[in-house]
């Protein structure tokens, strides 16, 4: 069906536009030089395995992006350029005393040398790659102890590998922004299963690592699939201007809540004249609502915090770096970089609201919005990870919600019921299939995909419909400038023709020990099957001896209500145990070592009402 010919704001330019690397790409000619600047050494081979020998990271698989001289027809040239810049791997010097390991996971691990050792910032997704990154650093900078850890924000690629650089009981400061734990849990545990399942689409997990499949994720190549952990913070940053001396190095923090994460912070190293922008200013337009799912971000606040960073730190900075991509050196270059990042988020916010207040919906605004020429040409705000299209829709959603105001859209049928009705309305499946093919042949793969999807949902076993939809999605994906659009399209095509691949990791299980007791009970409540529990009533008093805390849980009208320090301690069952025993009990280890008073059958009644989440639920099929 050919690649999709769409505009940049809607994901990229397609149409088989292969050519020399950089053909048609916006860009700063210095990007390649900056991506290579400060190179010390690469991990060779670029493969990391877990204790069982399973490969959890393979940067060598993406070497084709650096070696190739020609962009293939199956990749958008602008995304190809971005991917080649991200594919660099190894240890890099940012400035004296500040190093980064890049290309060993989706994110960068930054190492700030102190008086006694090294401060690790954002220790990647999993402990195996974090340990390999630290080993690479030590091979070239000496056996420095890790003297502190800094989490810039609560996304898993910025904390999940912490146990690869420190032990769970090590007495070193672990620094994070206020409300870090709250949001680490809400994204990775409460909604963790759904987000990880969507994350498989986000990363193109089951597609081949080659020019027909995975080429990039916009921020980096892909995510590692090793062991995820979390050491809770011991030092909380609560305000802009807060200074902390970590291993003799002065960190000046800037709080940026509601930007790339609900809890996030930048920091400045005055003596090193270096500014870390966390994930608030990378070499891409970022997501205002990530396609894997998250809370909608605040474009207006994001723009304002970028302006505040310019005001606070520009005069004292010779280099700006982030938790993804490569640094920018030179005060004039930093000003341009941060100013254009600031202006992009501000422009998208204000123009979306202007057009919204003229009566346009999010979908309509996304089709009509135009960018200023300077921003259209600026490579570092290109739509490789976020896009203007889904960014505009996110801003609309933040203010107006999911409903566009048209009453015809207020109570639509769900996808399978719609599919059945589309088949009937078109006069049968053959006619709906023919219509989808005709729109594809006419150069409108977007509508062809919509019609074919209705047919797939109405007749899930229709092989021709699946094949057509997979072909159309492949064309849309291979034409996309935006990496996550590409990955979603290609992963969808993969799952239309093949079984759903097992999900790589389970964050909910790996983070359980870091949860507070309240968060543990929250996670149980989310799993209660409401209709099955309608007529059940049960109450349990939980005495946590190691924490000196008492909680009461009550199952009432299908909801598990829980609260600490209850006045009413008259319950069906009282359990006296430690937090570790609570986690063990929930994992099915029984009541060994737990003191139980009252009706022990209450616990079995409660656990019988819990649904197990499905990490492989279908997305492109019913």
């Amino acid at each position: 069906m050919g690649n999709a010919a769409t505009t940049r704001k809607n994901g990229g330019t397609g149409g088989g536009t292969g050519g020399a690397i950089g053909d048609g790409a916006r860009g700063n000619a210095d990007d390649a030089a900056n991506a290579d600047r400060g190179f010390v050494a690469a991990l060779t081979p670029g493969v990391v395995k877990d204790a069982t020998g399973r490969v959890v990271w393979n940067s060598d698989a993406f070497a084709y992006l650096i070696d190739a001289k020609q962009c293939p027809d199956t990749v958008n040239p602008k995304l190809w350029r971005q991917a080649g810049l991200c594919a660099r791997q190894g240890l890099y010097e940012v400035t004296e005393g500040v190093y980064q390991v890049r290309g060993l996971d989706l994110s960068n691990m930054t190492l700030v040398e102190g008086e006694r050792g090294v401060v690790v910032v954002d220790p990647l997704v999993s402990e195996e790659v974090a340990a390999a990154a630290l080993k690479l650093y030590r091979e070239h900078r000496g056996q420095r102890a890790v003297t502190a850890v800094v989490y810039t924000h609560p996304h898993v690629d910025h904390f999940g590998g912490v146990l690869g650089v420190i032990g769970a009981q090590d007495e070193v400061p672990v620094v994070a922004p206020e409300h870090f734990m709250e949001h680490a849990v809400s994204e990775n545990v409460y909604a963790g299963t759904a987000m990880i399942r969507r994350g498989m689409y986000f990363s193109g997990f089951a597609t081949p690592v080659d020019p027909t499949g995975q080429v990039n994720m916009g921020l980096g190549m892909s995510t590692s699939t090793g062991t995820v952990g979390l050491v809770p913070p011991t030092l909380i940053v609560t305000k802009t201007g807060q200074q902390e001396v970590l291993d003799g190095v002065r960190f000046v923090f800037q709080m940026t809540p509601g930007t790339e994460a609900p809890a996030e912070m930048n920091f400045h190293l005055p003596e090193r004249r270096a500014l870390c922008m966390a994930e608030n200013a990378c070499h891409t337009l970022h997501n205002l609502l990530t396609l894997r799912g998250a809370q909608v971000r605040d474009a207006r606040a994001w723009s304002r915090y970028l302006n505040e960073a310019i005001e606070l730190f520009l005069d004292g900075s010779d280099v700006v770096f982030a938790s993804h991509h490569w640094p920018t050196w030179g005060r004039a270059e930093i000003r341009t970089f941060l100013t254009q990042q600031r202006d992009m988020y501000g422009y998208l916010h204000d123009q979306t609201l202007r057009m919204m207040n003229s009566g346009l919906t999010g979908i309509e605004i996304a089709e009509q919005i135009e960018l200023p020429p300077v921003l259209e040409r600026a490579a570092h705000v290109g739509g490789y990870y976020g896009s203007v299209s889904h960014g505009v829709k996110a801003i609309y959603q933040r203010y107006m919600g999911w409903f566009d105001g048209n009453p015809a859209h207020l109570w639509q049928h769900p996808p399978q019921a719609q599919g059945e009705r589309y088949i009937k309305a078109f006069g049968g499946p053959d006619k709906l299939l023919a219509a989808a093919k005709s729109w594809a042949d006419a150069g409108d793969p977007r509508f062809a995909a919509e019609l074919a999807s209705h047919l797939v949902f109405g007749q899930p076993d229709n092989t021709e419909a699946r094949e057509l939809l997979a072909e159309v999605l492949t064309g849309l994906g291979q034409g996309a400038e935006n990496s996550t659009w590409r990955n979603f399209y290609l992963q969808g095509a993969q799952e239309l023709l093949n079984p759903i691949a097992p999900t790589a990791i389970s964050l909910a299980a790996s983070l359980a020990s870091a949860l507070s007791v309240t968060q543990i009970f929250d996670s149980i409540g989310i799993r209660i099957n409401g209709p099955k529990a309608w007529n059940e009533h049960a109450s349990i008093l939980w005495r946590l001896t190691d924490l000196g805390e008492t909680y009461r849980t009550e199952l009432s009208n299908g909801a598990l209500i829980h609260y600490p320090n209850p006045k009413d301690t008259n319950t069906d069952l009282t359990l006296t145990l430690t937090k570790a025993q609570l986690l063990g009990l929930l994992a099915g280890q029984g009541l060994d070592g737990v003191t139980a008073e009252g009706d022990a059958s209450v616990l079995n009644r409660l656990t019988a009402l819990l649904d197990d989440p499905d990490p492989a639920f279908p997305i492109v099929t019913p």
Side-chain angles (χ1 to χ4, degrees):
M1 298 299 168
N3 288 346
T6 57
T7 62
R8 170 195 167 180
K9 66 188 177 203
N10 288 318
T13 302
T17 49
I21 295 175
D23 281 5
R26 301 172 310 281
N28 179 349
D30 294 331
D31 279 347
N34 285 341
D36 290 329
R37 180 171 170 173
F39 176 73
V40 177
L43 180 69
T44 306
V47 176
V48 180
K49 300 179 180 180
D50 66 11
T52 69
R54 179 176 67 94
V55 174
V56 299
W57 179 256
N58 183 0
S59 59
D60 290 346
F62 294 96
Y64 75 89
L65 292 158
I66 300 174
D67 298 337
K69 303 300 182 185
Q70 197 80 3
C71 174
D73 288 344
T74 55
V75 185
N76 182 287
K78 298 170 186 177
L79 180 58
W80 183 261
R81 175 185 181 276
Q82 176 79 352
L85 293 168
C86 291
R88 271 80 164 165
Q89 177 261 107
L91 176 68
Y92 293 81
E93 183 181 32
V94 175
T95 191
E96 184 177 357
V98 180
Y99 289 79
Q100 286 188 313
V101 177
R102 304 201 284 267
L104 285 188
D105 213 322
L106 181 66
S107 51
N108 301 333
M109 187 166 87
T110 300
L111 304 111
V112 180
E113 294 177 349
E115 294 175 352
R116 297 175 291 107
V118 64
V119 177
V120 172
V121 180
D122 288 353
L124 308 181
V125 171
S126 50
E127 66 178 72
E128 294 86 353
V129 289
L134 182 60
K135 181 180 178 183
L136 176 64
Y137 166 80
R138 285 172 169 166
E139 286 174 353
H140 298 276
R141 297 297 299 165
Q143 293 298 313
R144 300 169 186 260
V146 175
T147 49
V149 172
V150 176
Y151 305 139
T152 61
H153 59 291
H155 293 156
V156 70
D157 52 324
H158 302 269
F159 68 78
V162 63
L163 293 176
V165 298
I166 61 171
Q169 305 304 319
D170 287 359
E171 295 185 0
V172 301
V174 178
V175 186
E178 188 175 24
H179 305 304
F180 172 91
M181 284 298 293
E182 171 189 339
H183 294 293
V185 170
S186 67
E187 284 208 5
N188 299 304
V189 178
Y190 296 164
T193 300
M195 286 191 180
I196 293 172
R197 175 69 179 111
R198 289 257 290 260
M200 298 301 99
Y201 273 65
F202 199 59
S203 64
F205 173 71
T207 62
V209 182
D210 64 31
T212 68
Q214 291 184 53
V215 299
N216 191 253
M217 278 185 65
L219 291 177
M221 309 318 302
S222 186
T223 58
S224 64
T225 57
T227 307
V228 176
L230 174 59
V231 176
T234 61
L235 195 166
I236 302 299
V237 177
T238 62
K239 62 182 180 180
T240 294
Q242 183 171 332
Q243 299 192 30
E244 301 292 342
V245 177
L246 305 175
D247 195 10
V249 180
R250 184 161 59 106
F251 285 68
V252 181
F253 294 97
Q254 179 198 11
M255 296 293 289
T256 63
T259 53
E260 192 272 336
E264 188 149 356
M265 62 187 186
N266 303 325
F267 64 83
H268 188 235
L269 304 173
E271 283 70 41
R272 310 287 169 87
R273 296 185 60 82
L275 173 60
C276 175
M277 292 301 294
E279 205 165 324
N280 289 320
C282 303
H283 289 269
T284 181
L285 170 61
H286 215 294
N287 282 309
L288 294 170
L289 178 57
T290 171
L291 300 181
R292 66 174 170 79
Q295 295 182 21
V296 179
R297 295 147 188 185
D298 188 341
R300 181 177 62 176
W302 200 326
S303 178
R304 288 177 176 173
Y305 284 124
L306 287 168
N307 193 68
E308 183 180 62
I310 295 169
E311 291 290 316
L312 291 174
F313 304 125
L314 177 65
D315 289 344
S317 301
D318 295 327
V319 61
V320 62
F321 62 95
S323 299
H324 296 275
H325 301 146
W326 52 95
T328 298
W329 286 269
R331 193 159 66 171
E333 290 78 5
I334 294 170
R335 178 180 292 279
T336 298
F337 174 68
L338 293 180
T339 297
Q340 290 177 347
Q341 289 273 326
R342 174 200 68 189
D343 293 350
M344 177 63 105
Y345 296 111
Y347 184 87
L348 292 181
H349 175 273
D350 293 350
Q351 295 306 304
T352 298
L353 266 71
R354 177 183 67 82
M355 298 168 80
M356 181 180 78
N357 287 328
S358 295
L360 298 183
T361 67
I363 292 174
E364 291 168 334
I365 298 167
E367 292 294 309
Q368 295 185 28
I369 193 169
E370 295 181 323
L371 295 179
V374 169
L375 297 182
E376 179 67 41
R377 292 192 299 268
H380 64 89
V381 288
Y384 317 116
Y385 189 57
S387 75
V388 172
S389 176
H390 70 262
V392 162
K393 294 169 189 173
I395 296 167
Y396 185 92
Q397 177 181 320
R398 183 177 180 88
Y399 284 92
M400 302 298 288
W402 62 269
F403 179 44
D404 65 5
N406 184 338
H409 301 156
L410 185 58
W411 189 28
Q412 293 176 288
H413 289 287
Q416 191 164 2
Q418 281 195 27
E420 293 166 354
R421 285 159 175 79
Y422 265 81
I423 291 171
K424 186 175 181 179
F426 271 77
D430 293 342
K431 290 185 177 179
L432 181 52
L433 181 67
K437 286 181 178 177
S438 70
W439 283 101
D441 292 340
D444 191 346
R446 296 164 65 185
F447 192 57
E450 184 173 343
L451 294 180
S453 180
H454 284 307
L455 182 51
V456 168
F457 271 83
Q459 289 192 338
D461 296 329
N462 189 319
T463 302
E464 284 188 275
R466 283 175 175 255
E467 291 175 348
L468 174 62
L469 181 55
E471 185 176 355
V472 172
L473 294 182
T474 298
L476 283 164
Q478 291 181 349
E481 172 184 347
N482 182 277
S483 64
T484 57
W485 285 36
R486 175 187 176 93
N487 292 339
F488 259 82
Y489 284 131
L490 298 184
Q491 183 76 18
Q494 179 80 8
E495 291 188 4
L496 284 162
L497 304 178
N498 300 281
I500 296 173
T503 299
I505 56 176
S506 173
L507 292 184
S510 64
L511 300 181
S513 62
L515 304 183
S516 69
V517 176
T518 293
Q519 291 167 337
I520 292 171
F521 289 133
D522 279 343
S523 65
I524 298 170
I526 290 166
R527 293 176 55 198
I528 294 287
N529 185 312
K532 287 172 62 176
W534 286 344
N535 298 317
E536 292 282 352
H537 190 279
S539 57
I540 303 176
L541 194 70
W542 308 78
R543 299 188 186 277
L544 282 300
T545 55
D546 54 332
L547 302 178
E549 299 174 0
T550 301
Y551 291 79
R552 188 181 198 275
T553 59
E554 180 179 356
L555 185 63
S556 176
N557 292 311
L560 186 68
I561 308 302
H562 58 92
Y563 46 95
N565 305 316
K567 293 180 181 179
D568 182 5
T569 59
N570 182 25
T571 55
D572 300 322
L573 175 65
T574 297
L575 298 176
T576 303
L577 70 174
T578 64
K579 180 183 173 184
Q581 288 172 325
L582 170 60
L583 290 170
L585 189 155
L586 297 174
Q589 296 175 14
L591 290 170
D592 287 349
V594 177
T595 300
E597 302 173 62
D599 184 1
S601 69
V602 168
L603 192 60
N604 292 331
R605 285 165 47 206
L606 178 64
T607 56
L609 297 169
L610 300 180
D611 277 354
D612 290 326
D614 180 5
F617 57 79
I619 292 178
V620 287
T621 57

